[in-house]
Amino acid sequence: MTTTTRVEQPVVFAGLTRTDLTMLLVVLIWGANFSIVKAALTEIPPLAFATLRFASASVLLLAFTFWREGQRALPADRATWWKLFWIGFAGNTVYQALFTYSLTLTTAANGSLIIATTPAWVALAAALLGIERVRGMMAAGIALAIGGVALVVAERGLSLGGSGLLGDLLMLGAALCWMIYTLGVRTLGQGLSPLAITAWTMVTGVPGMLLVSIPDWGRVAWTSVSLNAWLGLLYATLLALVVAYVLWNNSVRVAGSARTAIYGCAIPLVATLIAWPLLGEQPTWVQGVGGLLIVTGVLLTRRT
């Protein structure tokens, strides 16, 4: 991935810069997305929902990328195309299928907590592969984050037949897919911008999603889908993918990747607070303790 240089910005409100304010908006968008997607999935099958959402977003994001970068957005050679394809397959085809389907089985709060551990899994995998060294603070962070996930999942009672536990495990699989995506992106070198990489891995992830979603298309009477479900799909596509991804990439460019990643720690809190009134998912003390462990662990893994 391209390196980024932090650019100093003037404070515009309550000690926050414009980038800080836009990243708080991203946290709100992604935090609400768990509940909105979960509600829409009661009417639209998960794989069909994911494919509609992702195919539409990839077209919009690729158009925006070419508008902003022109020919610089094109991969330079065939080897880069193949890397983009496999990264897109793992990080988008498989990830989106697991993420969306898991929300039909688990709660929005649990899903957001589990997916928030992704930075810890990335740090662990990078250490095991020799990409970066694990210092004491990072090792402690990884242990805390994984322990937090174990606590949240164990609340299900470890009943292997339970759909809630299966949903948690599928969301954990989604987090591991995003780990693969993140490490794969690091192999792309300096040829493409973060925005172009995001757009092309979306595009390369679409064919696989079309194939795996075929069984879902005949399972619903599309004319009977409510306006709320369509609005949920629009929100998940336009705001949670296109707008939020653009704002995230802009923050990486302006503020740096480490500072930007810290905002992700607030997403589970927002997701839990929104799911409480919207879906009736009352938070539990186990989720609270697990969430505290996860957020603390992720913050420790980000320390250099």
Side-chain angles (χ1 to χ4, degrees):
M1 181 179 286
T2 55
T3 57
T4 56
T5 302
R6 179 175 170 179
V7 178
E8 292 299 327
Q9 287 190 301
V11 172
V12 296
F13 177 75
L16 301 173
T17 67
R18 182 176 288 104
T19 300
D20 290 324
L21 294 174
T22 59
M23 283 310 302
L24 289 175
L25 176 60
V26 170
V27 168
L28 179 61
I29 290 172
W30 280 345
N33 190 56
F34 287 89
S35 293
I36 291 172
V37 169
K38 187 171 177 64
L41 291 177
T42 61
E43 299 186 48
I44 304 175
L47 296 180
F49 181 94
T51 302
L52 283 171
R53 176 193 182 205
F54 213 72
S56 302
S58 65
V59 171
L60 293 173
L61 192 59
L62 187 62
F64 176 81
T65 303
F66 272 112
W67 173 76
R68 185 163 183 170
E69 300 186 4
Q71 294 299 311
R72 291 184 293 112
L74 286 172
D77 50 46
R78 184 177 298 180
T80 302
W81 277 112
W82 274 110
K83 285 183 180 180
L84 288 168
F85 173 80
W86 290 113
I87 293 169
F89 179 78
N92 289 322
T93 301
V94 183
Y95 170 86
Q96 288 294 330
L98 293 175
F99 174 88
T100 308
Y101 190 70
S102 70
L103 284 178
T104 67
L105 302 174
T106 190
T107 63
N110 270 26
S112 65
L113 286 169
I114 292 170
I115 210 70
T117 62
T118 303
W121 294 113
V122 171
L124 177 60
L128 293 175
L129 294 172
I131 297 174
E132 61 182 68
R133 294 172 56 191
V134 175
R135 297 174 177 84
M137 197 68 74
M138 182 179 290
I142 292 170
L144 283 175
I146 294 175
V149 168
L151 187 61
V152 170
V153 173
E155 188 185 18
R156 303 290 190 181
L158 296 181
S159 171
L160 296 180
S163 61
L165 177 60
L166 176 60
D168 289 344
L169 294 177
L170 290 176
M171 189 63 81
L172 180 58
L176 296 177
C177 283
W178 198 253
M179 172 198 74
I180 294 171
Y181 173 91
T182 303
L183 294 175
V185 164
R186 294 186 181 184
T187 70
L188 290 171
Q190 305 295 320
L192 294 172
S193 70
L195 179 60
I197 290 171
T198 302
W200 284 117
T201 51
M202 274 194 180
V203 171
T204 57
V206 168
M209 295 187 69
L210 288 171
L211 288 175
V212 299
S213 66
I214 288 175
D216 269 4
W217 294 103
R219 290 175 47 202
V220 61
W222 292 99
T223 56
S224 66
V225 175
S226 70
L227 177 61
N228 284 342
W230 287 118
L231 289 176
L233 177 62
L234 181 64
Y235 178 98
T237 302
L238 188 59
L239 292 180
L241 281 182
V242 178
V243 173
Y245 270 56
V246 169
L247 292 178
W248 180 276
N249 275 284
N250 182 69
S251 179
V252 169
R253 180 181 62 83
V254 173
S257 58
R259 185 180 174 191
T260 299
I262 295 299
Y263 285 96
C265 295
I267 294 173
L269 174 62
V270 174
T272 301
L273 293 177
I274 291 176
W276 191 351
L278 192 63
L279 301 176
E281 296 180 1
Q282 186 169 354
T284 67
W285 71 268
V286 175
Q287 287 176 327
V289 174
L292 181 62
L293 291 175
I294 290 168
V295 170
T296 302
V298 169
L299 288 173
L300 288 177
T301 64
R302 304 303 306 180
R303 292 189 63 176
T304 56

